[in-house]
Amino acid sequence: MGKWLIIFALISIWMSVSITVLILFGAIKYLLKILKSPKNELTTLSETPMVTVIVPAHNEELVIGDTISAILNLNYPKDSLEIKIVADNCQDQTLKMAEAVILKENVKGIDIEVIDRKGTGGKAGVLNDMLKIAKGKWICVYDADAMPEKNSLYFLVKKALEDKERYGAVFGRNKTRNYKQNFLTRCINLEIVTTQRIHHTGQWELFKIGRIPGTNFIIKTEFVRNIGGWDNGALTEDTAISFKIMESGKLIALAPHSEAFQQEPETLEAYYHQRKRWAKGNYEVILDNFKHLFDGSNWRIKLEVLYYTSTFFWFNLSILLSNFLFLSNLLAMIVRLFRPDFSIPFTFGGSNREIAAILLVNWLLMFIIYLLQINIALVSQYGQETTTNLFYSVISYFTYAQFFIVVATSAFFSLIFDKLFKRDGTKWYKTQRFNH
C-alpha cells in the first residue's frame, strides 16, 4: 500500500509540473508579443457602444468613494455610459457616501444612478437585477474596491471589437493597490501577478481560454440574458458564469492592458474567510460542471473542467499525501535513532535512501518551477522586479502557499458538511476593508 501511495504522489507531482511548464511556455510566448506593443497607444475606436457600468457594493463605505471617482474619470464617451452604483443591503454609510461623491463630482451629461437595494442573491442578485434594466450593449462590472485605471474600459471595448461574433466577454487585469502593507499583502500580490501574467496569458495563448475574474470585465448584455444571467447566491458567480459562457461556445477574451486596482485582505482572518469562500465556490462549480467531461460539450469546457478538477482535487490531494509521507518517514527516522529495529513505513524495498532522493529531486523541481513562474511574471510587470519581491517569492513557498492548502482543505470539508447537514452555504463572510 505504501509503495502505491508513493507512486501516486510522484506521478501527481510530475503531472502538475508538466502542466505548469506548458502554461509557462504559452505565457512567455504571449508576453513577448504584448511587451513589444506600446501600452499607451490609444487609437480611435471604430465604434463606442453603450456600456452599462455596474458597481455592486455591500457595506463598502471605506472604498466606494474612490471607485466612483475613478469610474467617472474613465476615458470613454460620457454619452455612451450608463452607471449603476448599487448599495446592496448596506448597514453602513455606503449609500450616503456614494450620493455625496456624485454631488461633489462633475456628472453633467453622465447617466449615473445610486440604488438602495434590499433584495437577495448577493452580488449575483445585484447583477441580475441590473441586467433587467440595463440599456447598454455591454455590461461592465467593477467591484466596490476596484479602482479602474482611466483607460481600462477603453481597452476592454477595443478587444471586444476585434471579434464581435466570437467574444462573449472580455476581461482585464487587477492589481493589488495595498500590496506594501505587510507580509500577507505582498504574498497576495505575488499570487495575483503570477495568476494574471502567467496562467491567464498562457491559457489564452495556447487554448483561447479565459476566465471572468469578478471585476474589470465586460459581457454582452443580450448574450448574458440569453444564457440566464448569473447564478443567484453563488459563492463564486464569476467562475460559474465563465463556465456558462464556455458552454455556449463563446470566448472570454483577454485584454492585458486593461487594469484596475483592488484592495486585498490585510489580516490572516480576512484572507482565510475570503479565500475559503472562493475555494468553496469553485468546488461547487466543479461538481456542477463535472458532467461536461462525459457529454457532447466543446473541448474548451472539457479542458477547463479537467484543469479545475486537477487543481482543486487531484493536486491538492497529492500535496497533502506528499506532506503525510514526508512527515511519517521523518518521524519514523527520529524514532529509529532510539530504536534501530523500527521500520520506515513508506519505502521502495527495505531502504529509504532511494525514495528520499527521489522525493527530494521532485520537491526541488516544484520549488524551482514555483520561483520561475513568479519571477517571470514579476519581470513582465513594471515596478515588480525587485530584490524584495524575489525574497518574498522564496519565503512565500514555505508559508503562504502551504497555508492555501489548509484553506482549500477546510473549504472542501465545509462543503461536504453543508451537503450532509443541509446547511445554507451561500452566506459568505464580508471581506474586511481598510482605510489608508
Side-chain angles (χ1 to χ4, degrees), residues 282-291 313 415-416 419:
N282 284 331
Y283 283 129
E284 287 186 323
V285 173
I286 294 167
L287 294 175
D288 289 342
N289 288 277
F290 193 74
K291 62 182 181 291
F313 287 99
L415 179 62
I416 295 298
K419 302 296 184 184

Side-chain angles (χ1 to χ4, degrees), residues 59-73:
N59 295 338
E60 299 283 9
E61 62 182 2
L62 293 180
V63 294
I64 191 65
D66 289 339
T67 300
I68 294 174
S69 296
I71 290 172
L72 291 173
N73 193 44

Side-chain angles (χ1 to χ4, degrees), residues 235-341:
L235 295 176
T236 49
E237 81 295 326
D238 48 356
T239 306
I241 201 166
S242 293
F243 274 94
K244 291 172 76 172
I245 294 169
M246 278 186 282
E247 188 179 358
S248 75
K250 296 287 187 180
L251 299 182
I252 306 170
L254 171 63
H257 296 321
S258 174
E259 299 175 346
F261 299 84
Q262 63 186 20
Q263 190 181 88
E264 298 297 341
E266 295 182 8
T267 66
L268 205 58
E269 180 183 12
Y271 169 84
Y272 172 80
H273 286 292
Q274 182 197 63
R275 298 311 171 93
K276 180 182 177 182
R277 171 170 62 86
W278 290 358
K280 191 174 175 180
N282 284 331
Y283 283 129
E284 287 186 323
V285 173
I286 294 167
L287 294 175
D288 289 342
N289 288 277
F290 193 74
K291 62 182 181 291
H292 292 306
L293 282 178
F294 310 101
D295 63 17
S297 299
N298 64 76
W299 66 269
R300 284 191 178 88
I301 194 168
K302 291 180 184 294
L303 188 60
E304 187 74 338
V305 171
L306 186 61
Y307 178 85
Y308 267 87
T309 303
S310 300
T311 301
F312 282 90
F313 287 99
W314 181 10
F315 296 150
N316 278 351
L317 176 62
S318 67
I319 291 172
L320 288 171
L321 180 59
S322 298
N323 289 340
F324 171 73
L325 295 177
F326 172 76
L327 292 174
S328 298
N329 280 3
L330 179 63
L331 182 61
M333 292 173 72
I334 294 173
V335 173
R336 202 170 185 176
L337 293 175
F338 306 96
R339 291 182 54 188
D341 59 330

Side-chain angles (χ1 to χ4, degrees), residues 45-47 49 137-138 155-170 204 208 218-220 223 245 249-254 300:
L45 296 175
S46 59
E47 60 179 283
K137 187 175 181 180
W138 292 82
F155 284 117
L156 291 174
V157 173
K158 182 179 181 181
K159 186 66 180 181
L161 296 177
E162 288 181 8
D163 196 332
K164 300 177 187 178
E165 292 301 317
R166 298 182 72 200
Y167 294 167
V170 181
W204 177 250
K208 291 298 178 282
I218 59 174
I219 185 168
K220 282 182 179 177
F223 168 69
I245 294 169
K250 296 287 187 180
L251 299 182
I252 306 170
L254 171 63
R300 284 191 178 88

Side-chain angles (χ1 to χ4, degrees), residues 7-20:
I7 292 173
F8 173 78
L10 292 175
I11 291 175
S12 300
I13 289 171
W14 277 97
M15 285 294 296
S16 176
V17 168
S18 300
I19 291 172
T20 303

Side-chain angles (χ1 to χ4, degrees), residues 13-237:
I13 289 171
W14 277 97
M15 285 294 296
S16 176
V17 168
S18 300
I19 291 172
T20 303
V21 170
L22 176 64
I23 292 175
L24 188 59
F25 166 77
I28 292 172
K29 184 180 177 184
Y30 185 84
L31 291 171
L32 288 175
K33 289 192 299 186
I34 67 168
L35 291 176
K36 292 178 181 178
S37 60
K39 175 182 175 182
N40 297 319
E41 185 179 351
L42 303 178
T43 56
T44 302
L45 296 175
S46 59
E47 60 179 283
T48 52
M50 173 69 76
V51 177
T52 298
V53 179
I54 304 172
V55 182
H58 175 63
N59 295 338
E60 299 283 9
E61 62 182 2
L62 293 180
V63 294
I64 191 65
D66 289 339
T67 300
I68 294 174
S69 296
I71 290 172
L72 291 173
N73 193 44
L74 284 171
N75 177 25
Y76 200 78
K78 305 307 179 189
D79 58 355
S80 295
L81 283 177
E82 177 190 31
I83 303 172
K84 304 289 187 184
I85 312 298
V86 186
D88 180 37
N89 296 289
C90 294
Q91 286 84 47
D92 64 355
Q93 300 299 310
T94 299
L95 182 66
K96 291 183 178 179
M97 288 288 294
E99 291 173 338
V101 172
I102 291 173
L103 287 175
K104 185 178 67 174
E105 296 279 353
N106 179 18
V107 296
K108 186 177 180 180
I110 302 177
D111 182 359
I112 183 168
E113 181 183 8
V114 179
I115 299 170
D116 185 13
R117 181 179 184 269
K118 301 299 181 185
T120 60
K123 180 180 175 182
V126 171
L127 296 176
N128 284 326
D129 283 355
M130 296 304 102
L131 178 62
K132 296 172 185 175
I133 61 175
K135 295 184 292 186
K137 187 175 181 180
W138 292 82
I139 284 176
C140 175
V141 179
Y142 288 112
D143 283 344
D145 67 313
M147 294 171 54
E149 189 268 336
K150 71 175 184 177
N151 295 314
S152 177
L153 181 57
Y154 163 89
F155 284 117
L156 291 174
V157 173
K158 182 179 181 181
K159 186 66 180 181
L161 296 177
E162 288 181 8
D163 196 332
K164 300 177 187 178
E165 292 301 317
R166 298 182 72 200
Y167 294 167
V170 181
F171 71 104
R173 297 195 298 129
N174 299 302
K175 293 183 175 181
T176 305
R177 64 199 252 194
N178 59 328
Y179 81 93
K180 291 185 178 180
Q181 287 302 119
N182 55 40
F183 175 76
L184 176 62
T185 57
R186 286 185 177 274
C187 289
I188 293 173
N189 176 61
L190 294 179
E191 176 197 353
I192 290 175
V193 172
T194 304
T195 298
Q196 299 189 355
R197 298 300 268 182
I198 301 298
H199 295 275
H200 287 176
T201 58
Q203 290 186 311
W204 177 250
E205 175 66 21
L206 295 174
F207 311 113
K208 291 298 178 282
I209 288 177
R211 301 186 190 101
I212 287 179
T215 188
N216 192 27
F217 71 90
I218 59 174
I219 185 168
K220 282 182 179 177
T221 306
E222 204 55 42
F223 168 69
V224 75
R225 285 171 180 160
N226 291 337
I227 62 173
W230 286 265
D231 294 343
N232 273 355
L235 295 176
T236 49
E237 81 295 326

